[in-house]
């Protein structure tokens, strides 16, 4: 019994101990939970406080923002209403939603007569309607990048009279629906003034040239000895008068050119101009002047043919300006080099002198009008100070530019850079009975030696750019193709699918720098640049053509 | 002798041109101050070339050329324009109608004769 009691007591003790342990553990957990809960409550409270602060601040900010927006709105409204330009708010289709008093003043309509009308109601020509629609949609498509695009329209007033306007349209940014603001400016006074200025300059130039013809003619005949020998002093005086008369003529010509360029009236022919030929002509035209200054003119790099699209006379004017400047600034016994270069799609003519270089303080305004390094310089050298400004403008009209660099070792290099006509246009113009073979290689030297290797056996269309090659493949017929594999930007074999699509049986020869097994599967012949010479390329290609001819 | 008719309303320029052209000993030069006078001289004298000023009062150079082309006795006479209206660089654009050439004013009097000689072919 005692034993049972003892056991029970022991069990009880164990049970108690376990209970105590469980209780203690539960207590611990409860403590933990309570701690966690209180922490959570504290966190929540903090969060709530934070939220309250944020909400409070946001509300304040919103109120401020609203106030600012209202202020901005009022300001914009004031700008809109007070603008000297006529302002229209247009909906997506171009109907007038809002207009300012300047519109009423400019066009003579009341506000009610214009609201909900289409904006083209204010334009004179029916064609303007198309232009306007097209334009609006383009501004829309361009998004905000299209903001402020300008266009000239002829406006029509209520009384039927018309006037020139310039319109700038911007898309309105932050609205759910797409809208536009159009600012309309009456530019008829400006246009009239421009036309008058043009006419004035042209008339004055003509009126000045007429008496100069008589003065220059008389002096020219005297200086040329047409009426007998003059004594030394008289000859000197006549020479001075004659030189200055010629300078005045140059000045008039330059001013006319400037005026024509600025009014957009200078006409530029669009011919293929061979630059090596242009250099030859310019050097010939300046030979006398160079000889008089004791300067020799040397052409370099003109063995190759480089063509640009443009106006040969105007380009000669540019180059003559650069060459004559270089002569003027060269020392006696100096040399002026005219160097033709081509890099990629850009043609470049450099005019290098060993003169004193361009003074630091002159560099800022060298391309400005009436720019001369210093007055005394000009008097001895007879320039007008307009030449470089004209040269640069003409170059820009050709999509190029004129600029300069210091020449290492002293002197200056002035250069004219122009976009060269791609070989695509040049070569395919030549009519020929020979089989036409496309040659694509990014190495221009390789292109040119290949073309001469085929000389009278095939006409080679040489291309260095993959895009050109792709378009030629789509547009023209060839008897065969020679393709370089490892080009800088792209693998030449990527042209093969296009070639095969267009003409599945076209013989293709891959001319590769690397020996790669997979190439032979893709082409009719593979030759490795280091192992095969050009003759082998020619014979292989001509062999492929002959096979194809025999099959046909 | 090669007969050359120079037409210009400016008397000074006529005189200079006459002297400049006379530097070629083979040239015989006559001048006219208007289109009307030019037509009369041309009909009677039959020059081998006529040099016409472009800007003249009443009948200008291009109109004079058209009038000459309409007359059977003058239709074959080669004509060149002399103009103060064009830039040296745009003379080609100016070579309208069937003129054989265009000379810009001011011209170089010492080379005028040889330029006309070149136009005669």
């Amino acid at each position: 019994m005692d034993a049972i009691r003892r056991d029970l007591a022991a069990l009880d003790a164990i049970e108690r101990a376990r209970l105590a342990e469980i209780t203690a553990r539960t207590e611990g957990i409860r403590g933990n939970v309570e701690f966690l809960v209180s922490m959570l409550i504290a966190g929540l409270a903090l969060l709530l406080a934070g939220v309250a602060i944020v909400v409070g601040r946001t509300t304040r900010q919103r109120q401020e923002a609203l106030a600012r927006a209202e202020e901005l709105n009022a300001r914009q409204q004031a700008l809109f209403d007070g603008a000297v330009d006529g302002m229209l708010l247009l909906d997506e289709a171009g109907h007038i939603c809002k207009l300012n008093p300047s519109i009423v003043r400019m066009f003579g309509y009341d506000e009610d007569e214009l609201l909900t009308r289409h904006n083209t109601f204010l334009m004179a020509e029916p064609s303007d309607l198309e232009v306007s629609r097209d334009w609006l949609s383009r501004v829309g498509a361009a998004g905000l990048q299209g903001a402020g695009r300008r266009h000239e329209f002829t406006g029509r007033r209520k009384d039927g009279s018309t006037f020139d306007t310039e319109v700038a349209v911007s898309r309105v940014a932050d609205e759910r629906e797409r809208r536009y603001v159009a600012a309309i400016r009456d530019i008829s006074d400006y246009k009239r003034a421009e036309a008058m200025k043009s006419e004035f300059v042209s008339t004055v130039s003509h009126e000045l040239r007429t008496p100069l013809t008589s003065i220059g003619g008389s002096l020219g005949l005297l200086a040329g000895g047409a009426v007998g020998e003059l004594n030394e002093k008289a000859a000197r005086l006549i020479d001075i008068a004659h030189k200055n008369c010629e300078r005045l003529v140059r000045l008039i010509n330059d001013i006319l050119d400037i005026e024509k360029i600025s009014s957009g009236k200078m006409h530029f022919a669009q011919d293929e101009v061979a630059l090596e030929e242009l250099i030859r002509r310019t050097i010939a035209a300046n030979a006398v002047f160079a000889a008089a200054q004791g300067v020799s003119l040397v052409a370099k790099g003109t063995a190759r043919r480089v063509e640009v699209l443009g106006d040969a006379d105007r380009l000669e004017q540019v180059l003559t300006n650069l060459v004559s400047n270089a002569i003027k600034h060269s020392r006696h016994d100096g040399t002026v080099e005219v160097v033709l270069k081509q890099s990629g799609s850009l043609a470049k003519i450099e005019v290098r002198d060993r003169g004193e270089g361009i003074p630091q303080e002159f560099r800022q305004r060298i391309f400005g009008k009436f720019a001369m390094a210093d007055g005394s310089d000009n008097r001895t050298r007879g320039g007008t100070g307009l030449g470089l400004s004209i040269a640069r403008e003409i170059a820009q009209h050709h999509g190029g530019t004129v600029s300069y660099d210091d020449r290492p070792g002293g002197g200056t290099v002035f250069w004219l850079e122009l976009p060269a006509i791609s070989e695509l246009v040049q070569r395919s113009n030549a009519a020929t009975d020979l089989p036409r073979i496309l040659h694509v290689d990014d190495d221009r030297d390789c292109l040119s030696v290949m073309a001469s290797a085929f000389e009278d056996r095939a006409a080679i269309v040489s291309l260095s750019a993959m895009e050109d090659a792709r378009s030629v493949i789509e547009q023209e017929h060839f008897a065969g193709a020679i393709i370089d594999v490892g080009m800088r930007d792209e693998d030449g074999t990527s042209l093969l699918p296009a070639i095969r699509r267009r003409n599945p049986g076209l013989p293709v020869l891959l001319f590769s720098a690397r020996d790669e097994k997979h190439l032979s599967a893709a082409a009719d012949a593979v030759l490795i640049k280091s192992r095969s010479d050009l003759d082998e390329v020619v014979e292989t290609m001509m062999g492929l053509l002959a096979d194809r001819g025999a099959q046909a | 002798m090669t007969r050359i008719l120079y037409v210009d309303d400016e008397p000074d320029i006529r005189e200079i041109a006459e002297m400049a052209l006379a530097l070629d000993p083979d040239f015989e030069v006559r001048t006219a101050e208007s289109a009307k006078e030019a037509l009369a001289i041309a009909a009677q004298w039959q020059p081998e070339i006529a040099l016409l000023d472009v800007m003249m009062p009443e009948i200008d150079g291009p109109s004079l050329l058209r009038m000459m082309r309409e007359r059977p006795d003058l239709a074959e006479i080669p004509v060149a324009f002399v103009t103060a209206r064009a830039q040296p660089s745009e003379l080609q654009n100016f070579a309208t109608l069937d003129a054989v050439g265009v000379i810009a004013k001011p011209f170089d009097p010492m080379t005028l004769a040889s330029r006309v000689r070149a136009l005669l072919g």
Side-chain angles (χ1 to χ4, degrees), chain A residues 73 81 104 108 203 227 246 256 279 283 344 351 378 470 472 549:
Chain A
N73 220 359
D81 287 344
V104 173
T203 306
V227 289
E246 285 179 343
L256 257 186
I279 290 174
I283 286 184
V351 179
N378 172 57
R470 281 205 184 83
V472 160

Side-chain angles (χ1 to χ4, degrees), chain A residues 245-500:
Chain A
C245 187
E246 285 179 343
R247 184 166 153 209
L248 200 48
V249 172
R250 279 199 299 277
L251 195 56
I252 292 167
N253 288 344
D254 281 358
I255 290 172
L256 257 186
D257 275 350
I258 292 267
E259 204 288 315
K260 284 212 172 107
I261 289 171
S262 69
S263 63
K265 277 190 196 148
M266 186 173 273
H267 171 78
F268 292 96
Q270 288 286 303
D271 299 322
E272 284 167 25
V273 182
L275 293 184
E276 67 282 0
E277 185 51 40
L278 185 80
I279 290 174
R280 256 191 288 283
R281 275 208 310 275
T282 308
I283 286 184
N286 286 278
V288 175
F289 178 51
Q293 304 285 314
V295 173
S296 27
L297 287 177
V298 179
K300 286 187 174 175
T302 49
R304 79 181 94 189
R305 188 169 183 78
V306 180
E307 291 191 332
V308 299
L309 203 62
D311 189 313
D313 291 331
R314 291 294 177 194
L315 291 175
E316 191 176 330
Q317 184 180 354
V318 173
L319 196 55
T320 291
N321 179 267
L322 302 185
V323 169
S324 68
N325 281 348
I327 296 171
K328 280 178 210 166
H329 293 277
S330 285
R331 295 183 190 92
H332 199 80
D333 289 333
T335 301
V336 170
E337 293 176 2
V338 186
V339 187
L340 177 59
K341 289 177 163 182
Q342 180 168 10
S343 66
S345 58
L346 283 177
K348 193 173 187 184
I349 301 177
E350 293 185 350
V351 179
R352 305 172 178 168
D353 68 54
R354 285 272 181 229
E356 63 271 49
I358 299 161
Q360 206 61 42
E361 64 277 9
F362 183 50
R363 295 182 180 218
Q364 286 287 315
R365 53 191 178 91
I366 187 165
F367 288 101
K369 294 181 177 79
F370 294 105
M372 282 167 295
D374 74 68
S376 63
D377 241 20
N378 172 57
R379 269 191 288 282
T380 52
R381 285 163 181 166
T384 63
L386 292 169
L388 272 179
S389 162
I390 295 171
R392 182 174 256 192
E393 293 264 9
I394 292 175
Q396 284 168 352
H397 271 87
H398 284 83
T401 189
V402 167
S403 192
Y404 66 90
D405 298 309
D406 288 326
R407 188 176 182 190
T412 310
V413 179
F414 269 91
W415 44 265
L416 162 66
E417 195 170 65
L418 298 164
I421 301 176
S422 77
E423 300 111 319
L424 160 72
V425 184
Q426 266 182 43
R427 310 257 178 169
S428 48
N429 282 347
T432 173
D433 293 325
L434 298 171
R436 298 176 79 239
I437 295 172
L438 173 67
H439 181 205
V440 186
D441 196 321
D442 59 353
D443 177 352
R444 282 173 181 274
D445 293 335
C446 182
L447 286 175
S448 102
V449 293
M450 187 69 79
S452 34
F454 275 92
E455 199 148 39
D456 44 15
R457 300 184 66 180
I460 304 297
V461 176
S462 316
L463 294 173
S464 58
M466 291 288 278
E467 318 91 89
D468 287 354
R470 281 205 184 83
S471 76
V472 160
I473 287 164
E474 292 305 319
Q475 288 160 22
E476 300 190 37
H477 285 283
F478 294 99
I482 301 169
I483 300 196
D484 177 27
V485 175
M487 288 196 269
R488 263 191 306 275
D489 305 324
E490 237 182 305
D491 192 335
T493 50
S494 66
L495 290 172
L496 291 174
I499 291 175
R500 295 290 179 226

Side-chain angles (χ1 to χ4, degrees), chain A residues 199 202-203 206 209-210 212-214 216-218 220-221 224 226-227 249 253 256-257 260 267 313-314 317, chain B residues 10 12-13 15-16 19-20 23 53 55 83-90 92-93 105-110:
Chain A
E199 181 56 28
S202 150
T203 306
H206 171 254
R209 276 182 186 163
T210 301
L212 275 173
T213 306
S214 298
S218 303
L221 286 169
V227 289
V249 172
N253 288 344
L256 257 186
D257 275 350
K260 284 212 172 107
H267 171 78
D313 291 331
R314 291 294 177 194
Q317 184 180 354
Chain B
E10 284 282 329
D12 290 345
I13 296 179
E15 204 176 326
I16 303 253
M19 283 172 76
L23 290 177
D53 181 23
M55 296 274 289
T83 179
R85 199 78 200 180
Q87 286 284 74
S89 50
E90 33 183 54
Q92 269 128 344
N93 307 332
K105 279 182 186 172
F107 48 75
D108 173 10
M110 298 308 289

